[in-house]
Amino acid sequence: VYSISSLQCPPDNLTGLPTSITLDDRWSSVINLDFDFQYFGNTYNQVIIGANGLLSFDIADAGNFCPWNINAADLIPSPNIPINAIHGAYHDIDPGVCGDINYLVIGSAPYRMFVVNYTDVCHFSCNDIQSSSQIILYESSNNIDINVETRILEFNLENSF
């Protein structure tokens, strides 16, 4: 179950540890959450962060290609879209050109938060367009917040669905 709502007061600008992502379309190295997080009946304590606005619990993909292309035929689940992942503002962005992807753990047990920040990350081949968003995982409640500060939608009407 999920809901979409506006925040009255978005989280403060938080800056965390840099990821190992310096290239377009890559997964980070393995990152410890520092707490257990339950997702669809499984418990995890490690993630990888994707260069394209998502994080995954499939840590075997660390350092590998992070897909970006979503087609009309790619209904979830699809072998073309990462499963066992949290798709924040999932789109083709390029941190190798501009922007920052970082993460941090804030709070005290049992109410810690794992926060991933995507700050002013350039869109692939449209470097004058940038996006900023967050993915937050909450200890104990296992809630997930996706905060989108800036996201410009790009449409090709001939290929839209």
Side-chain angles (χ1 to χ4, degrees):
V1 174
Y2 65 92
S3 64
I4 299 173
S5 60
S6 295
L7 292 174
Q8 293 294 75
C9 183
D12 292 335
N13 291 332
L14 304 170
T15 302
L17 300 170
T19 64
S20 59
I21 304 169
T22 57
L23 300 172
D24 185 31
D25 302 330
R26 292 284 173 227
W27 290 107
S28 71
S29 57
V30 176
I31 299 167
N32 292 324
L33 290 176
D34 293 341
F35 57 85
D36 289 340
F37 187 80
Q38 291 184 1
Y39 189 66
F40 286 99
N42 295 306
T43 301
Y44 301 95
N45 57 21
Q46 295 179 311
V47 296
I48 53 176
I49 297 171
N52 293 314
L54 70 165
L55 65 84
S56 174
F57 298 104
D58 289 332
I59 61 173
D61 288 332
N64 294 324
F65 174 75
C66 176
W68 56 267
N69 193 16
I70 301 174
N71 294 310
D74 288 335
L75 300 176
I76 296 174
S78 164
N80 300 321
I81 297 175
I83 55 173
N84 203 27
I86 297 169
H87 300 244
Y90 179 42
H91 59 293
D92 194 11
I93 53 180
D94 189 353
V97 173
C98 74
D100 180 55
I101 302 173
N102 63 69
Y103 67 95
L104 66 156
V105 177
I106 57 175
S108 301
Y111 303 108
R112 292 172 285 192
M113 296 175 280
F114 179 83
V115 181
V116 180
N117 297 302
Y118 292 85
T119 307
D120 300 324
V121 181
C122 284
H123 289 212
F124 179 77
S125 75
C126 297
N127 300 147
D128 58 328
I129 300 173
Q130 300 171 3
S131 291
S132 294
S133 62
Q134 286 180 322
I135 300 172
I136 305 173
L137 307 181
Y138 292 86
E139 182 181 22
S140 297
S141 70
N142 301 300
N143 287 334
I144 302 166
D145 278 345
I146 310 288
N147 298 320
V148 180
E149 181 181 336
T150 308
R151 168 75 163 75
I152 306 294
L153 298 176
E154 305 160 35
F155 287 102
N156 176 343
L157 295 178
E158 294 177 18
N159 296 322
S160 64
F161 53 93

